[in-house]
Amino acid sequence: MKRFHTVLLLSVWALTAMTGCDKKPAPYGDFDNKVFIDQNTNVATLLVKQNTESDERSFHAATPKPVDKEIGLLFDADAGRVADYNRIAGEEAAILPENYYEIVGGQTSIPAGTNRSADVTVRFHNLGELDTEALHVLPVTLQKADGMAMLESARTIYYVLRGAALINVVADLQESNYIAFDKVLDGESASCGVLNGLNAITMEALIRCSDYVLEPGIKTVMGIEGHCLIRISDDGLEPNQLQVVMPSASATANFTDKATCLIPANEWTHIAVTCDVSTGRLVVYINGEVALDKSGNSFLSINFGQPRIDTQQQKHFFNIGYSYTAGRELHGEICEARIWNIVRTQEQIAANVYEVDPGSEGLVAYWKFDEGSGETIRDHTGNNNNGTAHEKLKWNPVSLPEAPSAGAIN
């Protein structure tokens, strides 16, 4: 009996080995090679702001395995799928009219021996004329793939165009969080030079402080401790009294006014400070209105691109929402932080609270805080002085400017 079992096992092993030798494993697996749109999602949302004129998005097609021969592809708008989008999304979008878009490279191919097509680009234009009160969608579908099956579930990408506010997301600098720039504004990196030797300056930020602004203690907006700093409160000041510190021949000079420089809690407030070193004039604006105007001062040049070293050899870097030591953080939301190497006029400041052209003359640092995720705050001027959150950053959706209240309209 034992001999019989041994023979049986050897026979099974031999049969298995022979079967395995006859069938070689496929190098990319045994599944159908279907072409599909290679995107993480089949819905791409474009936020169309008041000043949006154009936009463009790209995608490509792919196959799981390289193709044996060139596969011709054709992508085109597909009005027939608008109903599919509305049914799945539960919305009532209309097809985007033809005069608002152009599909570039819609006729393309996957070359033999590869598994990826060239990019197909959808260019959106004339968006300033689009009715942003209405929701629009543009389905772009893979209409044809020569000699190859198409993956139905990844054959269409839907571009959804929604009307949007100028600002739709902001960073929330809660408790001990702030934005550090010690890796770039260190006095050595190539990017820091644009923020040194400033003899004319405009600093701006749009903030909404929490109730913490009404409690005693310093809260910092931006700047360098002991050099040039916008902060809220100090010894002898109201808890929510804005103060500007400027470099002077006697170290620093402080400027504030209890009657005009109070920052409210839980209200969006735009702060701007201008200084002309040559004339010694400093002006503070709150929500576009002059809160303080001081002339005849003796200022020194402002250097945000390098740390200040104090008598204890401690380095103090430029930060947003922090200065000197823990406990002086902003405790509030922030966006549209900017530094200019010119003195902006009151009219310019008041007219551009929510957005400016990153290419504007004199704009040397522009942190919009519109990333919506992550811990890096990008400098939109292209000068690459990006900031890094001290802790995991909280992002809050907003809609700015806020609509006037009924009371304000009446």
Side-chain angles (χ1 to χ4, degrees):
M1 189 66 177
K2 183 176 180 181
R3 177 182 174 80
F4 172 76
H5 283 163
T6 302
V7 171
L8 179 61
L9 289 171
L10 286 172
S11 299
V12 171
W13 174 83
L15 180 61
T16 303
M18 291 174 63
T19 304
C21 289
D22 287 341
K23 186 177 182 181
K24 296 179 180 178
Y28 298 97
D30 293 320
F31 48 81
D32 293 337
N33 202 21
K34 295 182 179 180
V35 62
F36 62 97
I37 295 176
D38 190 11
Q39 292 280 105
N40 292 330
T41 175
N42 64 347
V43 177
T45 301
L46 285 73
L47 298 178
V48 183
K49 300 180 180 180
Q50 297 171 7
N51 55 356
T52 301
E53 286 296 330
S54 62
D55 202 337
E56 70 175 47
R57 303 297 170 93
S58 297
F59 64 87
H60 64 268
T63 55
K65 297 181 284 188
V67 296
D68 297 330
K69 63 178 182 178
E70 183 178 14
I71 304 298
L73 307 174
L74 176 63
F75 291 92
D76 205 354
D78 189 352
R81 293 191 179 248
V82 172
D84 293 340
Y85 172 79
N86 285 333
R87 175 174 51 80
I88 295 171
E91 300 197 280
E92 297 181 357
I95 182 69
L96 183 69
E98 292 184 2
N99 56 315
Y100 291 101
Y101 69 87
E102 173 187 15
I103 299 176
V104 180
Q107 188 165 355
T108 183
S109 67
I110 300 177
T114 73
N115 66 339
R116 187 188 190 281
S117 75
D119 279 352
V120 178
T121 300
V122 182
R123 291 178 178 161
F124 300 90
H125 44 67
N126 303 324
L127 296 181
E129 302 171 8
L130 186 67
D131 177 11
T132 54
E133 296 295 321
L135 182 66
H136 293 88
V137 61
L138 174 65
V140 177
T141 296
L142 175 58
Q143 305 281 3
K144 187 174 65 174
D146 294 340
M148 174 164 277
M150 296 176 279
L151 184 62
E152 189 61 33
S153 61
R155 185 180 167 193
T156 299
I157 183 168
Y158 299 89
Y159 293 102
V160 179
L161 288 83
R162 297 182 184 276
L166 291 178
I167 299 173
N168 298 282
V169 66
V170 298
D172 192 346
L173 301 182
Q174 297 178 307
E175 299 181 353
S176 58
N177 209 357
Y178 62 91
I179 309 301
F181 294 84
D182 56 322
K183 299 295 190 295
V184 287
L185 301 181
D186 57 358
E188 299 179 358
S189 64
S191 62
C192 66
V194 295
L195 289 171
N196 282 336
L198 302 176
N199 291 310
I201 193 169
T202 300
M203 297 178 282
E204 297 178 86
L206 185 58
I207 62 173
R208 180 163 63 179
C209 295
S210 67
D211 290 333
Y212 186 75
V213 77
L214 302 177
E215 298 181 16
I218 292 175
K219 305 91 184 175
T220 305
V221 179
M222 69 165 81
I224 295 178
E225 173 67 23
H227 178 62
C228 180
L229 190 66
I230 303 175
R231 65 187 179 193
I232 300 169
S233 197
D234 197 357
D235 291 341
L237 302 185
E238 295 296 318
N240 61 332
Q241 186 173 338
L242 189 74
Q243 182 187 59
V244 179
V245 180
M246 297 298 295
S248 69
S250 58
T252 58
N254 299 345
F255 298 88
T256 187
D257 188 317
K258 180 179 178 180
T260 58
C261 293
L262 299 182
I263 303 300
N266 302 310
E267 290 183 18
W268 282 106
T269 304
H270 184 258
I271 297 169
V273 176
T274 68
C275 178
D276 186 333
V277 172
S278 63
T279 63
R281 184 185 182 196
L282 178 136
V283 183
V284 177
Y285 301 91
I286 297 179
N287 292 330
E289 300 294 330
V290 176
L292 196 66
D293 188 344
K294 297 291 184 180
S295 298
N297 302 285
S298 178
F299 296 125
L300 300 179
S301 299
I302 298 154
N303 299 304
F304 281 147
Q306 63 191 46
R308 183 185 74 85
I309 302 176
D310 64 21
T311 54
Q312 285 76 42
Q313 299 303 303
Q314 182 179 356
K315 292 183 177 180
H316 300 277
F317 293 88
F318 176 88
N319 295 290
I320 293 179
Y322 173 85
S323 63
Y324 189 59
T325 189
R328 295 188 176 189
E329 296 83 5
L330 179 62
H331 292 254
E333 296 164 290
I334 188 167
C335 61
E336 294 297 309
R338 313 164 190 156
I339 298 175
W340 308 71
N341 64 8
I342 56 176
V343 173
R344 298 269 283 176
T345 66
Q346 181 177 8
E347 291 75 18
Q348 291 172 324
I349 291 169
N352 297 279
V353 168
Y354 301 100
E355 193 173 51
V356 294
D357 181 351
S360 299
E361 181 180 1
L363 186 61
V364 290
Y366 186 13
W367 301 288
K368 291 178 66 65
F369 288 86
D370 65 345
E371 287 78 5
S373 63
E375 275 63 63
T376 299
I377 307 301
R378 185 165 70 92
D379 177 4
H380 284 251
T381 64
N383 290 327
N384 298 318
N385 287 313
N386 302 326
T388 304
H390 177 61
E391 300 172 354
K392 184 176 176 56
L393 202 51
K394 182 174 186 284
W395 297 92
N396 293 339
V398 296
S399 181
L400 298 176
E402 295 174 322
S405 65
I409 294 175
N410 294 331

